Amino acid sequence: MTRVLVIDDDASIREITQLALESMGFDVRVAATGLHALESVAREPVDAILLDVRMPLMDGAEFARRYRARTERPAPIIILTAARTAAPGQDVFAGSRYVEKPFDLDDLARVINEVVAQAA
């Protein structure tokens, strides 16, 4: 079963995404902040990360930097954003896939499966 971590400060996005992906057979964890997400992946690795870019306290770029610095084999990160591209200078997202909000849940599941297969 593919383990996915959803990191988003919007509780409704976390809840809807979790319920939908679990109904599709994914094992889903959620985190409201980058700090909580770092604690979660330290306890239990995941196969893919769905990451909101704009969050308070620790934005998506800072989470990605810290996560990749601490993890020997980081999981692929899928950026969930309303913007089509990361902000200038956000090269930490290089190689990441992007899914625009609002997203189709079937398309999101397809992207998760693709990045997990590529990482294997």
Side-chain angles (χ1 to χ4, degrees):
M1 184 178 295
T2 300
R3 293 174 312 243
V4 179
L5 174 61
V6 178
I7 310 167
D8 199 303
D9 61 317
D10 185 321
S12 61
I13 291 176
R14 286 192 314 271
E15 184 178 338
I16 290 167
T17 305
Q18 179 178 20
L19 291 172
L21 292 177
E22 285 176 346
S23 74
M24 295 176 192
F26 293 94
D27 179 12
V28 182
R29 287 142 182 77
V30 295
T33 69
L35 184 58
H36 289 130
L38 287 173
E39 293 168 355
S40 178
V41 292
R43 285 190 308 271
E44 186 172 12
V46 295
D47 300 307
I49 296 173
L50 305 180
L51 177 62
D52 183 21
V53 175
R54 296 188 177 142
M55 297 183 293
L57 306 176
M58 180 188 299
D59 67 7
E62 184 61 23
F63 165 81
R65 273 192 283 282
R66 290 186 189 190
Y67 170 66
R68 289 179 175 152
R70 295 180 182 183
T71 307
E72 187 175 315
R73 294 183 62 202
I77 295 175
I78 301 167
I79 307 301
L80 301 177
T81 183
R84 287 190 168 268
T85 60
Q90 301 276 335
D91 61 339
V92 70
F93 297 136
S96 296
R97 294 282 295 270
Y98 287 79
V99 174
E100 287 185 65
K101 294 179 182 178
F103 48 82
D104 177 87
L105 291 163
D106 290 325
D107 289 342
L108 181 60
R110 180 186 48 75
V111 171
I112 293 167
N113 287 325
E114 287 174 2
V115 300
V116 168
Q118 290 170 354

